[in-house]
Structures are given as structure tokens and as C-alpha cells.
Amino acid sequence: MNADREYLAAGLALGTLAEAEMIEALDLEAADPDFAEEVQSFCETLGLLAGSDDAVAPSAETEAAILNIPRLHQQAAPERTAPEHAAEPVAPTAAGASAPVTSAGPGPGPEKTRRPTTMLFALAASTLLLLSAVLAGALINQQHDTTQIQESLTVAEAERERTQRLLSASDLAFTEAEATGGGRVTLAYSVSEQMLHLTPHDMPELPADQTMQLWLIDEEGPHSAGLMTGTSTELLTDLAMDEDMIFGVTVEPAGGSEEPTSDPVVLADL
């Protein structure tokens, strides 16, 4: 497609053509399937950019077509423009002198002076749409990152407050217990706050189909207190803790069990 046709296709998609150019472009769209396909390509690209929250890049063919419009138009311009310093024919006068012969033909029409301005406006509009899409995508990503940071800070602050409650408890107590398979655990707990902080040390690594489950054991039997990884600390809250309970750890199938299915690997009096 030559420069004029690409210009008309882009201008028709953007709605920036002058009246005469619009009529020409609509006639081409109706009669020429290739031209109609080019217009549709521009329209689809602009529709994606205007309707999406994310930055959407046009196809390589569309981008190349838009960016090549000024260069191709400049190459075609000398073929349509008469030389600026063409010699003017002269005709004899009654006194033997010569006078320039003025052409009776029409001068350059308004269409030729409008077209470069309209083309540049179309190109500028396309560029603005691309920039708007990129900036919108960047803003959304920044807002998403900010939201994640705020959520992380909220979780960290809540964890700090719970830890502070435990450390400030009047009945805060500590104990340590060895694990039968190697390793040990350190416990900090408060019955009044119903909280328990567990720190594992060198606990054995379990296969993927097993997990360590925590239990609080009283006269009625064991009550599940959740699962532990064996590698990271755990802060348990809202526990049904009473004095003289026993803390225990068993190895259970992945996901845990309703009641212990193996002997405890850790036992500690609370």
C-alpha cells in the first residue's frame, strides 16, 4: 500500500480526515478489500489501546505502517509538487517587450495544504494513544506493587503486636524439649493470652507426604493446634490452653489428622 493509501487508512480509523479525503477513503474501503483490511487493522489496534487497562502493543505490521507514513509521504511529495523556480513563458507585447504569461489553470487546492497537517495530527494521535496505554499499564503495576507492600506491612504489624502481647504477659513461661528423631523445640507461652510461640532447632526434614502436627493434651486427650514446617517459627494464637497441659508433636500424613496416628516425637509439660 502506498503512502497516500496508508495515510487514508490511518486517518479513517482515527476519524481525522478532511471531508474530501473521508469520501475518498470510504470509497476505497468499499471497493478495495486490501484497503478495508488495513483500516480494520488500525481500528483493532486503537480499540485495544483505548479499552485495556494494560499496555497493549500494536502488531509489528501496524506499527511499521504508522511509522512509515511520514517517510513515504515525503518521498511521494516531489512527484506531486511543481518545481518552485520553473521558467515562465513570455509573450510579445505591442511595444516589442516581453511580458510573463500568467497561467489560467487553478492554483494548489486547499486539500494539498491540509493533508500534511492532517497526517501529522493522525500520527500524533496514534503516538498519544500508545503513550497513554504505556503510562496506564505502569500506573496499574505501581498501584499493585504499593498494595502488596501495604498488605505485607499490615501483616508484619499485626505479627509484631501479637508478639508484644505474648512477651508482655504476666504469666509468660519458657520451656525446651528434645525431639526423638533429632533436633529440639523452644516454646514461649502464656495461658492468660492463649498464645504459644514455637521455635524449631535442627528438626529432621520430612518427605512431601508427611507433616508435623502440634497437639495440646489434657485429661480428655489430644487437641490439634495446627501444623508446623520444622524449619520456621510458629506463633499460635486463640488456643484453648489450660495450666498443666502437655504440648506434643507427631508425624502425620500431609494435611494433618483429626487425632494422632503415631507416637509423639516431642513432649513438653506446660
Side-chain angles (χ1 to χ4, degrees):
M1 183 175 289
N2 61 38
D4 281 344
R5 288 162 63 88
E6 287 179 333
Y7 155 73
L8 290 173
L12 184 59
L14 288 165
T16 57
L17 296 176
E19 182 178 354
E21 293 169 332
M22 181 67 73
I23 294 174
E24 181 182 356
L26 290 174
D27 289 341
L28 275 174
E29 184 181 30
D32 189 336
D34 291 338
F35 182 83
E37 184 178 350
E38 188 74 10
V39 173
Q40 182 63 27
S41 177
F42 281 122
C43 290
E44 290 176 356
T45 298
L46 296 176
L48 286 173
L49 292 175
S52 174
D53 288 337
D54 298 324
V56 179
S59 67
E61 293 81 4
T62 301
E63 181 179 3
I66 292 176
L67 296 179
N68 279 335
I69 288 174
R71 179 176 61 80
L72 297 175
H73 186 76
Q74 290 172 0
Q75 292 174 353
E79 301 174 3
R80 301 193 303 269
T81 305
E84 296 181 1
H85 303 290
E88 297 181 353
V90 296
T93 64
S98 297
V101 176
T102 302
S103 172
E111 181 180 346
K112 287 186 179 293
T113 60
R114 268 201 316 269
R115 175 165 294 186
T117 301
T118 306
M119 181 191 69
L120 291 176
F121 178 77
L123 183 60
S126 300
T127 304
L128 287 175
L129 281 172
L130 289 170
L131 289 176
S132 298
V134 171
L135 290 175
L139 180 59
I140 291 171
N141 290 335
Q142 182 180 5
Q143 290 175 340
H144 179 69
D145 292 342
T146 301
T147 300
Q148 287 186 325
I149 293 174
Q150 289 175 340
E151 291 175 352
S152 298
L153 290 175
T154 300
V155 171
E157 178 63 18
E159 187 80 3
R160 187 194 66 80
E161 291 178 356
R162 288 194 294 268
T163 302
Q164 186 62 35
R165 277 176 48 204
L166 175 61
L167 295 177
S168 301
S170 58
D171 60 342
L172 176 64
F174 297 87
T175 188
E176 190 172 273
E178 299 289 334
T180 57
R184 56 192 172 85
V185 295
T186 301
L187 304 177
Y189 60 95
S190 167
V191 173
S192 63
E193 293 291 343
Q194 301 287 278
M195 298 173 68
L196 184 149
H197 185 276
L198 179 150
T199 304
H201 306 278
D202 303 321
M203 295 292 288
E205 185 176 352
L206 298 178
D209 60 347
Q210 292 183 335
T211 187
M212 294 183 184
Q213 188 163 354
L214 313 178
W215 306 92
L216 291 173
I217 307 168
D218 59 13
E219 295 179 352
E220 297 180 357
H223 309 277
S224 177
L227 307 178
M228 65 174 286
T229 63
T231 59
S232 61
T233 61
E234 308 285 346
L235 179 61
L236 309 178
T237 59
D238 300 324
L239 298 174
M241 293 180 63
D242 292 323
E243 294 182 355
D244 300 326
M245 295 186 83
I246 298 174
F247 172 81
V249 179
T250 61
V251 176
E252 302 294 334
S257 305
E258 293 185 1
E259 57 183 31
T261 62
S262 65
D263 294 333
V265 296
V266 174
L267 285 175
D269 293 327
L270 302 180

